[in-house]
Amino acid sequence: MIRRTLTWIALVAYVFSVIPPVPAFAKSSWNPTLLVSTEAFQTIDQSDTSATEVEIRFGDNLGQRLFYDVSGQTFQFTRDLTVAGNITATGSITAAKILSGTTVYATRSFSGAGLTSCSGALSKLLWDATTGRFSCGTDQAGSFSTGNTLSIGDARYVKKSGDTMTGALTINLSSGFLGLKVMQMMSGAFIHAEKSLTSSGSITAVGNITARGTLSGALITQGGVPVVTTTYFNDVLDPNGIQDSTESTMSFNDGSRTFTIAPASGSFDYYLRGTKVIRSTSTGVIIPDTTGTHFIYFDSDRQLKSSTIPWSFTDNKAFVATVYWRAGGATPALLADERHGIAMDWATHRYLHNTVGTRYESGLTGTFNNNGPFTVTAGVVHDEDLRFSIPQQQNTRVLYRDGATHWIADASGSLLFKETAGVIQYDAGTGTPADVGTNAYVAYWVFATDEVTNPILVV
């Protein structure tokens, strides 16, 4: 018996001596036994007591587990879980209670916590801090309208209670005309209107009001005392006229029948019932091809016009010139200066025009030869308020009647009389020139006029 035992021990020793060594394993206290390798865990199967859970238990006494719920197909921890890095979920993350963090970010959408569609015209999104849920309510103020308050914490917007703007304010209305309404006072270093500045009330200036153009109104006061207004000018029908005739030049083109007035330098001014008009460019008018006197004037609409009807002294017109024209341009036109000023009122002008006419002041001494050539020295005449300084003249135009109503003015020449074939002509009373008989005498009258080219005319 002793011999057999020794033989078995020897056999076991031999077996161990021929089997190569294997890694050491620590026996698990779980049931079934879990072999833990120093390189990796082995496969974990269901427990003997539960076919629905696969678990890892931490410690004999802690009682905390990480287990896989087979039926629910979820991993579960029995205590809190802390992750030092990131958690990336390709599916959903569902929190039974609270999901929190410094930043909670969703690339697509949020849902839950009472979030529903809340985009109606009268809807507003509400948050309840007690329940921790959102809800959609009705805006008590209704739609945003006049009188509502909009609080914006943006420095680009002006506060209703008052603010200072460092930039520009542009108001561009799509309709209407009232863009800015100030109920009390608007002030500033400069108030500029690109087109016009109007006021239905009063405009008070502690300093000066300077107008580069026209300053007008129903009532304008200076120091509390009313000054002359447009109403006054309309009442007295004045002033009308050219402020200074030396500021403009006049001409007439016989070929095109065009009268032109232009600034002598820069501009010239004229008035229409107290309204000053500054003209910095030339302007013209074409007269019709009609025999007679054509009256040239600036009308109330500030346009240069012509008419064959004599103007009235009470019209709202600024007289400029007259043109005597022969239809067809048979003879050059006679251009007379009528640029009366604004100091003389219309009533005085009418009186002087109808009773006195042009008056002589000085000079204009004539030297006449038997054969016709002549000389008239320089001199001065007046046509109401216009003063004409006429230089020495040695040419004239002879005027004679063409029937009962019209006149003919020969071209400018050095003869004081009209002749045909060396015979002096005269008006025998029929309006047709006739030869003067032998040893007969006729009268020719020499006039100083306001004609622009030939101020000395002979009739």
Side-chain angles (χ1 to χ4, degrees), residues 289-317:
D289 190 14
T290 304
T291 297
T293 301
H294 297 258
F295 300 86
I296 312 297
Y297 56 93
F298 283 108
D299 207 351
S300 58
D301 59 2
R302 304 184 181 185
Q303 300 299 310
L304 187 67
K305 299 179 180 180
S306 73
S307 175
T308 56
I309 300 174
W311 46 50
S312 170
F313 293 94
T314 58
D315 289 342
N316 188 13
K317 295 179 174 65

Short mmCIF file of all heavy atoms in Angstrom, two decimals, residues 289-317:
data_model
loop_
_atom_site.label_atom_id
_atom_site.label_comp_id
_atom_site.label_asym_id
_atom_site.label_seq_id
_atom_site.Cartn_x
_atom_site.Cartn_y
_atom_site.Cartn_z
N ASP A 289 -44.47 136.61 -86.23
CA ASP A 289 -44.16 137.41 -87.43
C ASP A 289 -45.36 138.28 -87.77
O ASP A 289 -46.05 138.09 -88.78
CB ASP A 289 -43.82 136.47 -88.58
CG ASP A 289 -43.25 137.21 -89.78
OD1 ASP A 289 -42.87 138.39 -89.61
OD2 ASP A 289 -43.18 136.61 -90.86
N THR A 290 -45.60 139.26 -86.88
CA THR A 290 -46.74 140.15 -87.01
C THR A 290 -46.26 141.59 -86.96
O THR A 290 -45.48 141.96 -86.07
CB THR A 290 -47.75 139.91 -85.87
OG1 THR A 290 -48.13 138.53 -85.87
CG2 THR A 290 -48.98 140.79 -86.03
N THR A 291 -46.73 142.43 -87.90
CA THR A 291 -46.33 143.83 -87.93
C THR A 291 -46.94 144.57 -86.75
O THR A 291 -48.14 144.44 -86.46
CB THR A 291 -46.79 144.51 -89.24
OG1 THR A 291 -46.14 143.87 -90.34
CG2 THR A 291 -46.43 145.99 -89.24
N GLY A 292 -46.13 145.33 -86.04
CA GLY A 292 -46.60 146.14 -84.93
C GLY A 292 -45.65 146.08 -83.75
O GLY A 292 -44.54 145.54 -83.83
N THR A 293 -46.10 146.64 -82.64
CA THR A 293 -45.29 146.70 -81.42
C THR A 293 -45.52 145.43 -80.59
O THR A 293 -46.67 145.06 -80.31
CB THR A 293 -45.65 147.94 -80.58
OG1 THR A 293 -45.42 149.11 -81.36
CG2 THR A 293 -44.78 148.00 -79.33
N HIS A 294 -44.43 144.81 -80.17
CA HIS A 294 -44.49 143.62 -79.32
C HIS A 294 -43.93 143.98 -77.95
O HIS A 294 -42.83 144.53 -77.84
CB HIS A 294 -43.67 142.49 -79.95
CG HIS A 294 -44.19 142.03 -81.28
ND1 HIS A 294 -44.93 140.89 -81.43
CD2 HIS A 294 -44.08 142.59 -82.52
CE1 HIS A 294 -45.25 140.73 -82.71
NE2 HIS A 294 -44.75 141.76 -83.40
N PHE A 295 -44.71 143.70 -76.90
CA PHE A 295 -44.35 144.07 -75.53
C PHE A 295 -43.70 142.85 -74.85
O PHE A 295 -44.30 141.79 -74.77
CB PHE A 295 -45.58 144.52 -74.76
CG PHE A 295 -46.25 145.72 -75.38
CD1 PHE A 295 -47.18 145.58 -76.41
CD2 PHE A 295 -45.92 147.00 -74.96
CE1 PHE A 295 -47.79 146.68 -76.99
CE2 PHE A 295 -46.51 148.12 -75.52
CZ PHE A 295 -47.44 147.96 -76.56
N ILE A 296 -42.48 143.05 -74.36
CA ILE A 296 -41.70 141.96 -73.72
C ILE A 296 -41.70 142.19 -72.22
O ILE A 296 -41.42 143.31 -71.74
CB ILE A 296 -40.25 141.94 -74.26
CG1 ILE A 296 -40.24 142.00 -75.79
CG2 ILE A 296 -39.53 140.71 -73.75
CD1 ILE A 296 -40.89 140.83 -76.48
N TYR A 297 -41.95 141.12 -71.42
CA TYR A 297 -42.05 141.27 -69.97
C TYR A 297 -41.83 139.93 -69.28
O TYR A 297 -41.98 138.86 -69.88
CB TYR A 297 -43.43 141.82 -69.59
CG TYR A 297 -44.57 140.97 -70.10
CD1 TYR A 297 -45.13 139.96 -69.32
CD2 TYR A 297 -45.09 141.17 -71.38
CE1 TYR A 297 -46.17 139.16 -69.79
CE2 TYR A 297 -46.14 140.38 -71.87
CZ TYR A 297 -46.66 139.38 -71.07
OH TYR A 297 -47.68 138.58 -71.54
N PHE A 298 -41.49 140.00 -67.99
CA PHE A 298 -41.50 138.83 -67.12
C PHE A 298 -42.88 138.73 -66.49
O PHE A 298 -43.34 139.66 -65.82
CB PHE A 298 -40.44 138.93 -66.02
CG PHE A 298 -39.04 138.63 -66.49
CD1 PHE A 298 -38.11 139.66 -66.61
CD2 PHE A 298 -38.66 137.35 -66.80
CE1 PHE A 298 -36.82 139.39 -67.04
CE2 PHE A 298 -37.37 137.07 -67.23
CZ PHE A 298 -36.45 138.09 -67.35
N ASP A 299 -43.56 137.60 -66.70
CA ASP A 299 -44.91 137.43 -66.19
C ASP A 299 -44.87 136.95 -64.73
O ASP A 299 -43.81 136.65 -64.18
CB ASP A 299 -45.67 136.44 -67.06
CG ASP A 299 -47.17 136.68 -67.03
OD1 ASP A 299 -47.63 137.49 -66.21
OD2 ASP A 299 -47.89 136.06 -67.84
N SER A 300 -46.05 136.83 -64.13
CA SER A 300 -46.15 136.41 -62.72
C SER A 300 -45.60 135.01 -62.48
O SER A 300 -45.25 134.67 -61.35
CB SER A 300 -47.60 136.49 -62.25
OG SER A 300 -48.42 135.68 -63.08
N ASP A 301 -45.54 134.18 -63.53
CA ASP A 301 -44.97 132.84 -63.39
C ASP A 301 -43.45 132.84 -63.62
O ASP A 301 -42.85 131.78 -63.75
CB ASP A 301 -45.64 131.86 -64.35
CG ASP A 301 -45.49 132.28 -65.81
OD1 ASP A 301 -44.84 133.30 -66.08
OD2 ASP A 301 -46.04 131.57 -66.68
N ARG A 302 -42.85 134.04 -63.73
CA ARG A 302 -41.40 134.24 -63.86
C ARG A 302 -40.87 133.83 -65.24
O ARG A 302 -39.66 133.65 -65.40
CB ARG A 302 -40.63 133.49 -62.76
CG ARG A 302 -41.07 133.86 -61.35
CD ARG A 302 -40.23 133.19 -60.29
NE ARG A 302 -40.69 133.55 -58.95
CZ ARG A 302 -40.09 133.20 -57.82
NH1 ARG A 302 -38.97 132.47 -57.88
NH2 ARG A 302 -40.56 133.55 -56.65
N GLN A 303 -41.77 133.69 -66.21
CA GLN A 303 -41.36 133.37 -67.56
C GLN A 303 -41.33 134.63 -68.42
O GLN A 303 -42.20 135.51 -68.27
CB GLN A 303 -42.31 132.33 -68.18
CG GLN A 303 -42.36 131.01 -67.41
CD GLN A 303 -41.01 130.33 -67.36
OE1 GLN A 303 -40.34 130.16 -68.37
NE2 GLN A 303 -40.62 129.92 -66.16
N LEU A 304 -40.35 134.72 -69.32
CA LEU A 304 -40.26 135.85 -70.25
C LEU A 304 -41.27 135.61 -71.38
O LEU A 304 -41.27 134.57 -72.02
CB LEU A 304 -38.84 135.96 -70.81
CG LEU A 304 -38.55 137.19 -71.66
CD1 LEU A 304 -38.60 138.46 -70.80
CD2 LEU A 304 -37.19 137.08 -72.33
N LYS A 305 -42.11 136.62 -71.63
CA LYS A 305 -43.17 136.47 -72.62
C LYS A 305 -43.27 137.72 -73.49
O LYS A 305 -42.68 138.76 -73.19
CB LYS A 305 -44.51 136.21 -71.93
CG LYS A 305 -44.55 134.94 -71.09
CD LYS A 305 -45.89 134.75 -70.41
CE LYS A 305 -45.91 133.48 -69.57
NZ LYS A 305 -47.22 133.28 -68.90
N SER A 306 -44.01 137.58 -74.59
CA SER A 306 -44.29 138.72 -75.47
C SER A 306 -45.77 138.77 -75.79
O SER A 306 -46.46 137.74 -75.76
CB SER A 306 -43.48 138.61 -76.77
OG SER A 306 -44.01 137.60 -77.61
N SER A 307 -46.26 139.98 -76.09
CA SER A 307 -47.66 140.16 -76.43
C SER A 307 -47.79 141.39 -77.32
O SER A 307 -47.03 142.35 -77.18
CB SER A 307 -48.52 140.32 -75.17
OG SER A 307 -49.86 140.61 -75.51
N THR A 308 -48.77 141.40 -78.21
CA THR A 308 -49.06 142.57 -79.02
C THR A 308 -50.10 143.47 -78.34
O THR A 308 -50.43 144.53 -78.86
CB THR A 308 -49.58 142.15 -80.41
OG1 THR A 308 -50.72 141.30 -80.25
CG2 THR A 308 -48.49 141.41 -81.18
N ILE A 309 -50.57 143.03 -77.18
CA ILE A 309 -51.51 143.84 -76.39
C ILE A 309 -50.70 144.65 -75.38
O ILE A 309 -49.90 144.09 -74.62
CB ILE A 309 -52.52 142.94 -75.66
CG1 ILE A 309 -53.31 142.11 -76.68
CG2 ILE A 309 -53.45 143.78 -74.80
CD1 ILE A 309 -54.23 141.09 -76.04
N PRO A 310 -50.88 145.97 -75.36
CA PRO A 310 -50.11 146.79 -74.42
C PRO A 310 -50.33 146.32 -72.98
O PRO A 310 -51.44 145.94 -72.59
CB PRO A 310 -50.65 148.21 -74.64
CG PRO A 310 -51.22 148.18 -76.03
CD PRO A 310 -51.76 146.80 -76.21
N TRP A 311 -49.26 146.33 -72.19
CA TRP A 311 -49.37 145.91 -70.80
C TRP A 311 -50.10 146.96 -69.98
O TRP A 311 -50.17 148.14 -70.32
CB TRP A 311 -48.00 145.63 -70.19
CG TRP A 311 -46.96 146.68 -70.48
CD1 TRP A 311 -47.06 148.03 -70.32
CD2 TRP A 311 -45.66 146.44 -71.01
NE1 TRP A 311 -45.93 148.65 -70.70
CE2 TRP A 311 -45.03 147.71 -71.12
CE3 TRP A 311 -44.95 145.31 -71.38
CZ2 TRP A 311 -43.73 147.87 -71.60
CZ3 TRP A 311 -43.66 145.46 -71.85
CH2 TRP A 311 -43.06 146.72 -71.97
N SER A 312 -50.66 146.53 -68.84
CA SER A 312 -51.31 147.43 -67.91
C SER A 312 -50.36 147.69 -66.75
O SER A 312 -49.61 146.80 -66.33
CB SER A 312 -52.62 146.82 -67.39
OG SER A 312 -53.14 147.59 -66.33
N PHE A 313 -50.39 148.90 -66.20
CA PHE A 313 -49.48 149.24 -65.12
C PHE A 313 -49.84 148.54 -63.81
O PHE A 313 -49.04 148.50 -62.89
CB PHE A 313 -49.46 150.77 -64.92
CG PHE A 313 -48.85 151.50 -66.08
CD1 PHE A 313 -49.64 152.00 -67.10
CD2 PHE A 313 -47.48 151.67 -66.15
CE1 PHE A 313 -49.09 152.67 -68.18
CE2 PHE A 313 -46.92 152.34 -67.23
CZ PHE A 313 -47.71 152.84 -68.24
N THR A 314 -51.05 147.99 -63.72
CA THR A 314 -51.45 147.26 -62.51
C THR A 314 -51.24 145.76 -62.65
O THR A 314 -51.55 145.01 -61.72
CB THR A 314 -52.93 147.53 -62.20
OG1 THR A 314 -53.72 147.14 -63.33
CG2 THR A 314 -53.15 149.01 -61.90
N ASP A 315 -50.73 145.30 -63.79
CA ASP A 315 -50.46 143.88 -63.97
C ASP A 315 -49.28 143.46 -63.11
O ASP A 315 -48.39 144.28 -62.78
CB ASP A 315 -50.13 143.57 -65.44
CG ASP A 315 -51.36 143.69 -66.33
OD1 ASP A 315 -52.48 143.66 -65.79
OD2 ASP A 315 -51.18 143.81 -67.56
N ASN A 316 -49.28 142.18 -62.75
CA ASN A 316 -48.14 141.62 -62.01
C ASN A 316 -47.07 141.20 -63.02
O ASN A 316 -46.82 140.02 -63.25
CB ASN A 316 -48.59 140.42 -61.18
CG ASN A 316 -47.50 139.91 -60.24
OD1 ASN A 316 -46.49 140.58 -60.03
ND2 ASN A 316 -47.71 138.73 -59.68
N LYS A 317 -46.44 142.21 -63.63
CA LYS A 317 -45.44 141.99 -64.66
C LYS A 317 -44.27 142.93 -64.43
O LYS A 317 -44.42 144.03 -63.88
CB LYS A 317 -46.01 142.26 -66.05
CG LYS A 317 -47.12 141.31 -66.50
CD LYS A 317 -47.61 141.69 -67.89
CE LYS A 317 -48.62 140.67 -68.43
NZ LYS A 317 -49.86 140.66 -67.65
#
